[in-house]
Amino acid sequence: MTGRMISSREFWTKKTLIGLGLGQFLSLLITSTGFTSSELASKNINAPTSQSFLNYVMLAIFYGSIMLYRKQALKAKWYYYILLGLVDVEANFLVVKAYQYTSITSIMLLDCWSIPSVMLLTWIFLKTKYRYKKVAGVVVCIAGLVMVVFSDVHRSDRAAGGSNPRKGDFLVIAGSTLYAVSNVSEEFLVKNADRVELMSFLGLFGAIISAIQISILERSELKSIHWSAGAALPFVGFSVAMFLFYSLVPVLLKMNGSTMLNLSLLTSDMWAVLIRIFAYHQKVDWMYFVAFAAVTLGLIIYSGGEKEEDQRRDEVADGESEQSKHFDEETGSRNLNRGTTAGSSKLGDTSKHGSTSSIWGREDVENRSLGKGTPGKLS
């Protein structure tokens, strides 16, 4: 199909459907972490680093065990994971800390700042090129959330949702920027290294950095907590949800990239509203439903038509391979003629070398077509 129109079969590819479904499951997990953080904040428990610590420990134990069993050499430098762990810990710290000052709705809305940050970082470091269709999808998603900002529900929620909304909003924006750095780094590592290696080292260094930060900032806070089922369950629920989230994020990053991940997480605010409606029987403004529809439409626009783009990339790769094959055949023919002139005793050796050259030539072009042999894309 060479036209611009995309059929429904090409639009609704398996990759698109899995990406959309997985993205919404991750969005639900983020919604659950938001509710558990709000629950802890309502109990005056202010220990954001401690909330994330158990998640990092679980990642280190689970994926570290798999890595030890494999006994494979590292595919990325270990100090990359230290930097990633530091950025990730501080991103979690800032966003969870914001729940002490502003509302859950404000936090989830301001999280959309990570989207332009991710697009800028992937464009600079990963050389990602965004077609007009993908940019249009992003614009539709963000427009959906802008509707909520102007709704009466959001204004009342902000008024009653925190002691210092401006400080909380600043913490969310700073945390979202760090999340963007973390997501783009994870996208690079999961595509160029290994998912198990990424998760095990992120868990290891994240746990170490969290432990140091807890000993400095949160020792007195942990001592003052009156531990009970009401305090312990949100802690455990937060950690389990984060463990599942961290485990599945690399899958979506490898399939659809960090921009798709952040766009999917925009619906977490909408899921929070639906939970409030059905679990807490709260009334919400109709603008939320319009925003949910807009974000969903934007996600479909952004992720749809992957098959057509993949086909175009394959056609380019096949074209390069065909040119290489034609060049190799000409080279082999010249070598064969030289061998015939020199004598039949040298013919076999010349043909053998020509064949080897042809194989290596094709592999080199295929590697270039698939992006192999270019680990310095981010550097």
Side-chain angles (χ1 to χ4, degrees), residues 76-84 205:
K77 301 295 184 182
W78 59 271
Y79 47 81
Y80 288 164
Y81 296 114
I82 294 181
L83 296 174
L84 176 60
F205 292 119

Side-chain angles (χ1 to χ4, degrees), residues 5 8 15 51 84 90 105 127 188 196 221-222 226 240 275 295 309 328 367 379:
M5 297 297 292
S8 60
K15 182 179 178 182
Q51 283 182 232
L84 176 60
E90 299 312 319
T105 307
K127 309 303 180 186
F188 174 78
V196 173
E221 182 66 31
L222 289 176
H226 298 288
V240 172
I275 291 172
V295 172
E309 293 181 8
D328 291 334
N367 286 343
S379 58

Side-chain angles (χ1 to χ4, degrees), residues 255-303:
M255 286 177 53
N256 301 90
S258 49
T259 304
M260 178 63 177
L261 168 64
N262 284 271
L263 286 174
S264 298
L265 298 185
L266 287 180
T267 57
S268 58
D269 184 43
M270 316 308 167
W271 292 121
V273 171
L274 293 178
I275 291 172
R276 288 181 178 184
I277 293 172
F278 294 105
Y280 299 100
H281 305 289
Q282 295 180 1
K283 293 182 179 180
V284 298
D285 192 87
W286 62 271
M287 291 288 284
Y288 272 107
F289 300 102
V290 177
F292 187 89
V295 172
T296 303
L297 177 63
L299 283 170
I300 293 172
I301 293 172
Y302 180 87
S303 59

Side-chain angles (χ1 to χ4, degrees), residues 2-212:
T2 58
R4 277 299 189 191
M5 297 297 292
I6 301 175
S7 67
S8 60
R9 182 174 296 181
E10 288 178 321
F11 192 87
W12 294 107
T13 62
K14 182 179 179 181
K15 182 179 178 182
T16 299
L17 293 174
I18 293 176
L20 289 171
L22 182 57
Q24 290 315 295
F25 182 67
L26 292 173
S27 183
L28 280 169
L29 290 174
I30 284 295
T31 303
S32 64
T33 62
F35 273 98
T36 52
S37 296
S38 293
E39 185 68 20
L40 290 170
S42 66
K43 297 179 184 297
N44 295 319
I45 297 176
N46 182 21
T49 310
S50 301
Q51 283 182 232
S52 303
F53 175 72
L54 182 58
N55 165 52
Y56 290 122
V57 172
M58 292 167 66
L59 288 173
I61 293 174
F62 183 81
Y63 289 101
S65 300
I66 298 175
M67 193 174 171
L68 289 174
Y69 176 78
R70 285 181 175 180
K71 298 180 180 178
Q72 293 180 349
L74 293 183
K75 296 181 180 179
K77 301 295 184 182
W78 59 271
Y79 47 81
Y80 288 164
Y81 296 114
I82 294 181
L83 296 174
L84 176 60
L86 179 63
V87 170
D88 200 72
V89 167
E90 299 312 319
N92 285 326
F93 171 78
L94 291 172
V95 173
V96 175
K97 185 76 172 176
Y99 283 92
Q100 303 293 325
Y101 303 103
T102 190
S103 69
I104 182 174
T105 307
S106 296
I107 290 171
M108 292 188 172
L109 286 172
L110 289 170
D111 266 349
C112 69
W113 170 253
S114 62
I115 294 169
S117 301
V118 162
M119 294 186 74
L120 179 63
L121 291 171
T122 52
W123 178 67
I124 294 174
F125 296 107
L126 299 185
K127 309 303 180 186
T128 303
K129 295 181 179 179
Y130 293 98
R131 298 179 180 275
Y132 292 117
K133 176 177 69 68
K134 292 189 178 293
V135 175
V138 173
V139 171
V140 173
C141 283
I142 296 178
L145 287 182
V146 170
M147 296 178 192
V148 183
V149 175
F150 293 103
S151 71
D152 293 333
V153 173
H154 178 61
R155 286 199 296 270
S156 62
D157 188 62
R158 280 178 68 93
S163 59
N164 192 341
R166 288 184 180 179
K167 183 176 181 179
D169 291 351
F170 173 77
L171 291 175
V172 175
I173 292 173
S176 297
T177 305
L178 291 181
Y179 272 138
V181 175
S182 176
N183 289 340
V184 173
S185 301
E186 286 185 36
E187 180 181 347
F188 174 78
L189 290 169
V190 79
K191 288 180 178 178
N192 293 275
D194 180 72
R195 185 174 72 94
V196 173
E197 178 181 305
L198 169 63
M199 289 294 100
S200 58
F201 275 98
L202 178 59
L204 174 63
F205 292 119
I208 294 172
I209 294 168
S210 295
I212 295 172

Side-chain angles (χ1 to χ4, degrees), residues 335-351:
N335 289 339
L336 184 63
N337 291 334
R338 288 197 201 99
T340 304
T341 304
S344 59
S345 61
K346 293 183 180 180
L347 176 61
D349 292 337
T350 307
S351 301

